[in-house]
Amino acid sequence: MKISVVTACFNSQATIGEAIATLKRQSWGNVEHVVIDGASKDDTVEVARKTLGPVDVLVSEPDKGIYDALNKGIVNSTGDIVGFLHSDDLYAHDEVLSRVAACFEDPEIGAVYGDLQYVKAANTTHVIRHWKSGSFSTDKLKYGWMPPHPTFFMRRELYEELGGFDLAYRIAGDYDALLRYLASDKVKVHYLPEVLVKMRLGGASNGSLKQIIRKSREDISAMMKNGVNPVLALPYKNLSKLPQFMMKGSQ
């Protein structure tokens, strides 16, 4: 079973080397890393080229944003399973992909997700938020629930059947896509109850008040598009984050 991991990046020279290193340390050997760079102006491409392996893919060209890059990554990947690791994220330990692959040994399983920790950008051992996803049910979608996208892996044929990311979104394209996938009766979902990814704070959806407001507007749009009532779901979605700060010491 081959796992393709897609990384979208732009001007990420400070962090992409570490992201690639955590992937290269994975005990699961059959891995393809697909790096889609948006024509960076810094040394991102040079750093990636030095650390990627011969079976990996590197594309550097202008794009229409992160979701365009992720779509390109899916198209350029060849694995049975597709996951995403952003250029400033890290795998939590060296067995992540092995444990994900073990879940997909069940041919009925279409998608796997786990838990995520938000960490301090300058010190990735300092946990700010602990996102414990919990088990899946379609009823949870009505209350704004979603798993952390960087921990989400899905079979290639399901991406081909259900489509990629909607470029109309700049920040909430992953939420829109997850609503579509998780609501489909074609996707049997499995929860892996452990931290799979560490995400540095300061990304596109959590970097500023302006971005948070835009994210909320896009969340409402995604909810309405996917038949979720935003009057109920948006407050629950935002309030559900509060316990994550109290659980920040969890591992």
Side-chain angles (χ1 to χ4, degrees):
M1 182 190 305
K2 180 195 269 188
I3 299 177
S4 293
V5 176
V6 176
T7 297
C9 56
F10 180 71
N11 290 345
S12 305
Q13 66 177 28
T15 58
I16 191 169
E18 190 176 3
I20 295 172
T22 67
L23 178 56
K24 294 308 177 189
R25 290 198 298 268
Q26 292 297 302
S27 61
W28 186 258
N30 197 0
V31 180
E32 169 191 65
H33 197 182
V34 180
V35 176
I36 308 295
D37 175 72
S40 290
K41 306 282 191 280
D42 63 3
D43 291 331
T44 298
V45 172
E46 287 73 15
V47 173
R49 189 172 285 125
K50 288 177 183 176
T51 47
L52 290 171
V55 301
D56 298 325
V57 177
L58 174 61
V59 176
S60 182
E61 61 187 18
D63 57 45
K64 299 174 184 176
I66 186 169
Y67 298 118
D68 184 32
L70 296 182
N71 283 341
K72 289 181 184 180
I74 295 170
V75 170
N76 281 277
S77 62
T78 61
D80 307 291
I81 311 299
V82 179
F84 304 96
L85 183 71
H86 299 313
S87 58
D88 51 359
D89 294 349
L90 312 167
Y91 281 127
H93 54 76
D94 297 347
E95 303 297 320
V96 167
L97 296 185
S98 290
R99 293 181 187 177
V100 168
C103 297
F104 281 108
E105 290 297 331
D106 180 349
E108 296 291 314
I109 298 298
V112 172
Y113 68 92
D115 300 336
L116 178 143
Q117 288 179 334
Y118 287 91
V119 296
K120 204 168 182 178
N123 178 10
T124 57
T125 64
H126 186 149
V127 178
I128 306 297
R129 287 170 56 190
H130 182 90
W131 185 344
K132 185 174 179 62
S133 303
S135 58
F136 171 72
S137 74
T138 53
D139 283 344
K140 287 185 174 182
L141 301 179
K142 295 185 292 187
Y143 297 95
W145 180 91
M146 68 173 285
H149 186 240
T151 74
F152 185 81
F153 296 79
M154 192 163 74
R155 294 190 187 273
R156 153 176 304 286
E157 62 261 28
L158 290 171
Y159 278 109
E160 293 171 349
E161 184 172 356
L162 300 174
F165 300 92
D166 186 340
L167 302 191
Y169 297 97
R170 301 295 294 176
I171 298 176
D174 50 347
Y175 179 50
D176 169 67
L178 286 172
L179 281 176
R180 181 164 18 105
Y181 304 147
L182 297 174
S184 172
D185 57 9
K186 297 175 181 177
V187 183
K188 183 177 178 181
V189 185
H190 179 78
Y191 170 47
L192 187 56
E194 62 177 271
V195 176
L196 303 183
V197 175
K198 294 189 175 188
M199 172 184 281
R200 287 182 172 91
L201 279 172
S205 64
N206 57 48
S208 71
L209 178 60
K210 181 179 178 181
Q211 289 167 328
I212 291 170
I213 292 172
R214 180 170 187 170
K215 174 70 160 57
S216 293
R217 288 174 177 167
E218 291 196 4
D219 280 346
I220 291 171
S221 172
M223 289 169 183
M224 294 177 69
K225 175 184 169 186
N226 290 279
V228 174
N229 183 356
V231 175
L232 178 65
L234 189 63
Y236 272 99
K237 188 174 190 292
N238 291 330
L239 289 171
S240 68
K241 297 174 183 177
L242 295 178
Q244 297 172 11
F245 291 92
M246 295 178 231
M247 296 173 62
K248 65 183 182 179
S250 302
Q251 299 297 321

